[in-house]
Amino acid sequence: QVQLVESGGGLVQAGGSLRLSCAASGGTFSSYTMAWFRQAPGKERQFVACMGWTTYYADSVKGRFTISRDNAKNTVYLQMNSLKPEDTAVYFCAGTLGGVGFTRGKYNYWGQGTQVTVSS
């Protein structure tokens, strides 16, 4: 059983940067595929990026966001650059032992989310 805790959200102006962190505990972190999802008000939770043996990104963030992990620290990161107002959402960290996936149902473990707000 893995527990995930996100941090690093906040308010930033368009064009700015933020780095989100997700600290994991209670499992063998290196065995998990880790992902970031986001959910804007009134919208479905959507895939942002994931990292197993390789990394994948949603088209909307490709070239601007970078997912990385430090297995020694049991932490996954999301570096977000060139932020846009449409990136405003609650960002969730997720994990699975089941390999790479791009849908919410693929992931068994979720953090509580961290708010990212990008002002224009």
Side-chain angles (χ1 to χ4, degrees):
Q1 187 82 8
V2 174
Q3 291 80 46
L4 303 173
V5 179
E6 301 97 335
S7 61
L11 173 65
V12 64
Q13 288 188 332
S17 298
L18 281 175
R19 189 176 82 154
L20 305 183
S21 299
C22 173
S25 61
T28 306
F29 180 73
S30 59
S31 300
Y32 287 78
T33 294
M34 299 300 297
W36 290 94
F37 284 73
R38 66 187 182 186
Q39 188 165 15
K43 295 190 176 181
E44 295 287 320
R45 193 170 298 187
Q46 63 175 196
F47 170 79
V48 174
C50 69
M51 187 171 192
W53 291 109
T54 56
T55 58
Y56 297 88
Y57 297 93
D59 288 342
S60 59
V61 307
K62 204 171 291 183
R64 300 188 297 122
F65 290 12
T66 303
I67 187 172
S68 62
R69 65 193 297 165
D70 185 338
N71 288 337
K73 295 183 178 180
N74 289 354
T75 301
V76 62
Y77 304 97
L78 186 68
Q79 177 67 44
M80 305 186 294
N81 298 328
S82 302
L83 282 161
K84 305 175 181 180
E86 51 264 43
D87 294 319
T88 295
V90 177
Y91 283 70
F92 296 89
C93 172
T96 181
L97 286 170
V100 168
F102 311 119
T103 58
R104 181 176 181 174
K106 180 73 173 179
Y107 293 85
N108 308 103
Y109 305 103
W110 292 86
Q112 82 289 350
T114 185
Q115 176 70 47
V116 171
T117 302
V118 184
S119 63
S120 57

